[in-house]
Amino acid sequence: MNTKFKYIFSAAALLLSVGFTSCTGDLDVKPIDPNLNTRENTSPESSFNKCYAHIAMAGNGGANGDSDVDGIDGGTSGYVRQLFNTQELTTDEAICSWGDEGISNFNFNTYDASHPMLNGFYNRLYVGITYCNQYLADFGDYNATMSAEVRFIRALNYYYLLDGWGNVPFTTAISSSKPPRIKRADLYKWLVDELKNEIEPKLNDPTPKTSATTGYGRVDKAAAWMLLARLYMNAEVYTGTADWADAKTYAKKVIDSPYKLYTAKKGQWSAYQQLFMGDNGENGASVEAVFPILQDGLKTTSYGTTLYLMAGSNDNSEHIKDATVKGNNTTGGWAGNRMRSDLVLKFFPNNDAPNIAAYAMPAAADDDRALFDGEGRNVTNGDDEKGVKVFTNGFSVCKFNNFKTDGSAGHNALFPDADFFLMRAAEAYLIAAEADARLNGDRTSAEGTSYVNALRNRAHATTQTAYSLRQICDEWSREFYFEGVRRTTLIRFGYFGGNVNYNWSWKGGVKNGRNFDSHLNLFPIPTSDMTANAENLIQNPGY
């Protein structure tokens, strides 16, 4: 794996996220070899911080250098950025106008084992696992709760590898030996056992926090329940055997916990919009944030987290706040990702989406979640590949912005203060509703219906007396577009690879979409890893 292993940020950035204080000496650590004992070189707290930090920032240098992952631009290697690219650009939600190597392969579902961004994400997940393994080797007996949190982060990384690549290298130790390959079903079993027996019992009780609360950004039992619900929800994909009942059980644990849907409107800002704003750690929305990835325009800067979701999706011509103010309240307007026409149709099924500003779109859609701009833009994504590279061919997503509900300024002109809610309570509502429908013959019971209606009521959208699985699939898109869950959702519903006859704009590189082979339901193991660990690894079929 083409990774570098360093532990500690040169600034106290991630101390903010995990609620510790530290002396300067804890942060003054040189790069280390992951195969060496590092107890003498670093403190438990700073090593612990780094396990969280690899998700929020590219590396020890923040946004502008010293990335944890070699062979790819540091900002491009960002965890959330590549989660977005793998989960959104490959689906019916997002398409990108850029000419960067690998982007068109995402857009058109033509990736292979040399794909630079897939390899960058794969390596970032493994460098995160190595940081966790190192902490557990050096400080596993230091604090039971901290160790459980680190084990959770390791499990989360393995979950994304399980979901994306299937049969992958696996180790829980620091060793110079080449890691063996674990089969997908066995990794699933390990994750379930690890979460239920080693992680969840030792985590803190579920407690929503704000940025003013010690420990904001650290996981608790609700995060373990959510990850278990995700695993059980996709058990049929991962193992061949469905487990809808356990998916519903663990989703309901989150629903019944102190984490709740945020429902308070503030001024012009709807409750839904506040989840993605510059003060979402302060405005009350974090009551929904089961696992927030913290960002601060001065202390935790990244080109690969919420800045990417703002600047990568806007060109700063959008009117998000009102008719007089342009942009997302950062100076970033990179004009790349925008909506596939299929996502617009989720909100305007009669193909009558108006060419109006983002601030007016929710009212036109009768849905607060319609946070996108159509001014001067086409709904369609271009008639040819040249047209795909035109940013105005597609509505602009304005879901993420750096405005604050109290009108205060951001901490930095470019880098936002908006945290990314990697897990939020709304996900548990849709998992419970979908599992309920699958257990009840394709339609929700009264209980399952209530979960969908809770989300739609929050969005001021019309409700129904029952929902089919296809309607729930669409609801996943309306609630979570551009949040990094769509590819997994489509695969679970049988709408991704194979002879599925569910097409979207430019699926498979064709304007009106086409089926592509089911082997694309798994990503390829990177060629570099296949070469370095040839005795243990087997390439996924079709590559």
Side-chain angles (χ1 to χ4, degrees):
M1 297 159 204
N2 189 23
T3 52
K4 297 188 295 184
F5 302 96
K6 308 179 184 67
Y7 260 105
I8 311 307
F9 281 84
S10 57
L14 263 291
L15 299 180
L16 170 73
S17 73
V18 297
F20 281 117
T21 59
S22 174
C23 63
T24 302
D26 283 339
L27 302 175
D28 185 19
V29 181
K30 296 178 180 179
I32 60 172
D33 183 330
N35 300 317
L36 299 178
N37 186 301
T38 62
R39 184 182 292 271
E40 296 179 358
N41 296 335
T42 188
S43 71
E45 287 79 9
S46 53
S47 177
F48 176 79
N49 285 347
K50 185 60 179 180
C51 295
Y52 278 97
H54 87 281
I55 302 176
M57 301 168 73
N60 294 9
N64 294 308
D66 204 18
S67 176
D68 294 331
V69 180
D70 278 332
I72 186 173
D73 173 78
T76 303
S77 79
Y79 196 110
V80 172
R81 184 168 181 160
Q82 291 311 324
L83 178 63
F84 174 95
N85 287 349
T86 57
Q87 284 280 340
E88 302 292 342
L89 293 183
T90 58
T91 73
D92 57 352
E93 291 190 348
I95 197 165
C96 187
S97 63
W98 295 334
D100 305 49
E101 183 183 1
I103 290 293
S104 65
N105 303 107
F106 278 144
N107 285 339
F108 304 142
N109 312 101
T110 57
Y111 36 82
D112 60 23
S114 63
H115 191 282
M117 296 181 192
L118 276 178
N119 295 356
F121 189 34
Y122 175 95
N123 286 331
R124 179 159 291 280
L125 294 170
Y126 273 112
V127 78
I129 288 167
T130 299
Y131 293 143
C132 294
N133 286 343
Q134 187 74 63
Y135 174 88
L136 294 168
D138 288 350
F139 306 114
D141 58 355
Y142 174 74
N143 179 286
T145 301
M146 289 168 62
S147 291
E149 291 178 48
V150 169
R151 292 177 84 139
F152 173 86
I153 296 168
R154 181 177 65 181
L156 180 71
N157 289 340
Y158 270 128
Y159 160 76
Y160 283 124
L161 288 160
L162 165 83
D163 183 75
W165 288 267
N167 311 298
V168 295
F170 177 79
T171 183
T172 59
I174 294 296
S175 171
S176 59
S177 300
K178 295 177 181 178
R181 174 180 183 262
I182 189 170
K183 293 183 178 179
R184 198 181 204 187
D186 293 332
L187 180 52
Y188 170 90
K189 182 180 183 302
W190 179 84
L191 281 166
V192 170
D193 290 345
E194 177 82 351
L195 284 160
K196 291 175 72 173
N197 298 320
E198 302 296 336
I199 297 174
E200 187 269 347
K202 299 171 186 175
L203 291 175
N204 288 322
D205 289 337
T207 307
K209 303 174 185 69
T210 70
S211 63
T213 309
T214 300
Y216 178 57
R218 293 174 63 174
V219 297
D220 57 32
K221 290 182 188 295
W225 298 336
M226 188 75 85
L227 189 51
L228 280 164
R230 285 185 181 185
L231 284 161
Y232 287 128
M233 196 72 222
N234 295 286
E236 188 170 29
V237 175
Y238 301 152
T239 72
T241 303
D243 195 347
W244 313 120
D246 278 330
K248 186 175 179 181
T249 294
Y250 278 91
K252 288 180 67 175
K253 282 179 174 285
V254 178
I255 294 168
D256 294 337
S257 79
Y259 290 95
K260 301 297 179 186
L261 295 183
Y262 179 63
T263 59
K265 181 179 180 181
K266 289 191 175 180
Q268 73 181 82
W269 305 108
S270 69
Y272 185 78
Q273 176 71 89
Q274 291 174 61
L275 295 165
F276 313 103
M277 292 180 64
D279 61 347
N280 58 356
E282 298 81 48
N283 62 25
S286 60
V287 71
E288 190 166 326
V290 174
F291 187 14
I293 307 303
L294 272 59
Q295 295 288 278
D296 180 283
L298 295 178
K299 298 177 181 178
T300 48
T301 59
S302 169
Y303 291 111
T305 314
T306 48
L307 176 61
Y308 177 68
L309 298 173
M310 295 176 199
S313 302
N314 295 171
D315 62 5
N316 269 336
S317 69
E318 295 84 359
H319 289 89
I320 297 172
K321 184 177 181 180
D322 56 39
T324 65
V325 177
K326 289 185 178 181
N328 52 39
N329 208 32
T330 78
T331 55
W334 304 341
N337 304 312
R338 72 276 193 205
M339 303 172 80
R340 299 214 192 210
S341 56
D342 312 83
L343 177 54
V344 180
L345 286 170
K346 299 290 192 297
F347 292 92
F348 293 96
N350 296 322
N351 200 22
D352 57 354
N355 294 100
I356 60 176
Y359 73 89
M361 195 67 75
D366 292 322
D367 194 320
D368 290 347
R369 300 170 296 186
L371 300 173
F372 43 88
D373 195 296
E375 278 190 306
R377 310 184 69 86
N378 301 311
V379 172
T380 56
N381 304 124
D383 294 326
D384 52 30
E385 292 190 28
K386 183 177 180 180
V388 169
K389 294 182 179 180
V390 177
F391 181 61
T392 53
N393 285 333
F395 278 20
S396 175
V397 169
C398 302
K399 187 172 185 174
F400 299 87
N401 71 69
N402 202 39
F403 292 109
K404 300 190 178 186
T405 55
D406 63 2
S408 62
H411 296 164
N412 181 277
L414 174 61
F415 295 107
D417 303 318
D419 303 328
F420 178 71
F421 295 170
L422 184 67
M423 291 179 170
R424 55 187 181 90
E427 183 180 350
Y429 283 71
L430 279 179
I431 289 175
E434 183 185 332
D436 177 84
R438 292 184 184 277
L439 291 166
N440 288 280
D442 186 44
R443 292 187 73 78
T444 52
S445 69
E447 180 189 13
T449 299
S450 71
Y451 297 135
V452 181
N453 283 344
L455 299 178
R456 294 186 64 81
N457 279 325
R458 192 253 297 271
H460 298 98
T462 57
T463 58
Q464 298 180 194
T465 57
Y467 295 89
S468 68
L469 282 172
R470 178 57 186 269
Q471 289 173 316
I472 292 172
C473 186
D474 288 346
E475 199 64 27
W476 273 105
S477 192
R478 282 185 285 266
E479 180 70 27
F480 283 100
Y481 67 96
F482 278 47
E483 291 185 58
V485 302
R486 188 58 173 170
R487 180 177 176 274
T488 300
T489 302
L490 290 178
I491 291 172
R492 182 173 69 250
F493 276 86
Y495 292 160
F496 197 71
N499 189 27
V500 300
N501 292 315
Y502 176 75
N503 294 325
W504 56 81
S505 174
W506 289 104
K507 179 184 179 183
V510 176
K511 179 184 176 183
N512 294 323
R514 66 170 180 86
N515 289 332
F516 49 70
D517 192 77
S518 61
H519 82 272
L520 294 175
N521 287 351
L522 281 177
F523 294 130
I525 305 296
T527 298
S528 57
D529 221 20
M530 290 295 302
T531 301
N533 196 5
E535 59 266 46
N536 289 326
L537 300 184
I538 300 171
Q539 184 57 273
N540 287 327
Y543 293 105

